[in-house]
Amino acid sequence: MTSVLDLAPVVPVVVLDDAADAVPLARALVAGGLPAIEVTLRTPAALDAIRAIADEVPDAVVGAGTVISPRSVADAAAAGAGFLVSPGWTDALLDAMAMSGVPFLPGVSTASEVVALLERGVTEMKFFPAEASGGTPYLTSLAGPLPQARFCPTGGISLASAPSYLALRNVGCVGGTWMLPPDALAARDWDRVESLAREASGLRA
């Protein structure tokens, strides 16, 4: 698979309470140009949602977010997740992700964590929480001494701030939720989601 960082400029971060919404939501995001979709493991519906998207939306690359234990790695891989994202990492979690055979983005927020991952041969990471951890100035500072590290910043990023992240040479994509407004999801307004996704997918240009 192409690197998760290179699939689209934005990875929607999805929290689903009803797995029945997974397929129409994923189809709207894909139609809008955002094929990489991170479904967070924060609700009981998450694994069923991942399974449904993997089975029924072939143009989507569905991943699992909030992966925080070896068990969640195994569950996400079994559900058909095409990539794994964690908010942080431990040696046990990193080992489990590496052994799963599924591409993964371990979370970092400090230079020491980045260096530790580089020692383990991991060069693609999630920078989280992006805005609270220093945002674009911090990532710019990391690019000099650690040019081999590439990031998907997530956390507090908006349509307005995303372009400044995407302009950095060490950023492949950003994660965000602004194309998934709660009122649109509650109303199952998939046309609006598609429109917002199309706007987000055009940010790289």
Side-chain angles (χ1 to χ4, degrees), residues 186-198:
R188 294 177 169 82
D189 188 349
W190 310 128
D191 288 340
R192 184 179 172 200
V193 170
E194 180 181 339
S195 177
L196 292 170
R198 185 169 293 107

Side-chain angles (χ1 to χ4, degrees), residues 52-183:
I53 296 170
D55 289 344
E56 300 181 43
V57 191
D59 292 331
V61 180
V62 60
T66 321
V67 175
I68 58 173
S69 69
R71 174 60 183 270
S72 60
V73 170
D75 289 344
F83 62 94
L84 308 170
V85 184
S86 68
W89 65 277
T90 64
D91 286 328
L93 179 58
L94 194 68
D95 288 344
M97 290 192 291
M99 291 174 60
S100 73
V102 179
F104 58 93
L105 297 173
V108 297
S109 61
T110 69
S112 293
E113 291 169 330
V114 175
V115 171
L117 285 178
L118 291 174
E119 283 186 351
R120 297 282 300 265
V122 178
T123 60
E124 297 186 346
M125 312 165 195
K126 172 179 178 174
F127 179 59
F128 175 83
E131 287 287 280
S133 298
T136 55
Y138 193 89
L139 287 171
T140 300
S141 297
L142 290 181
L146 303 170
Q148 62 272 57
R150 295 180 71 217
F151 301 96
C152 174
T154 305
I157 298 175
S158 66
L159 177 64
S161 63
S164 63
Y165 283 94
L166 293 169
L168 301 179
R169 67 178 185 268
N170 58 350
V171 169
C173 62
V174 301
T177 61
W178 73 84
M179 73 300 299
L180 303 164
D183 58 336

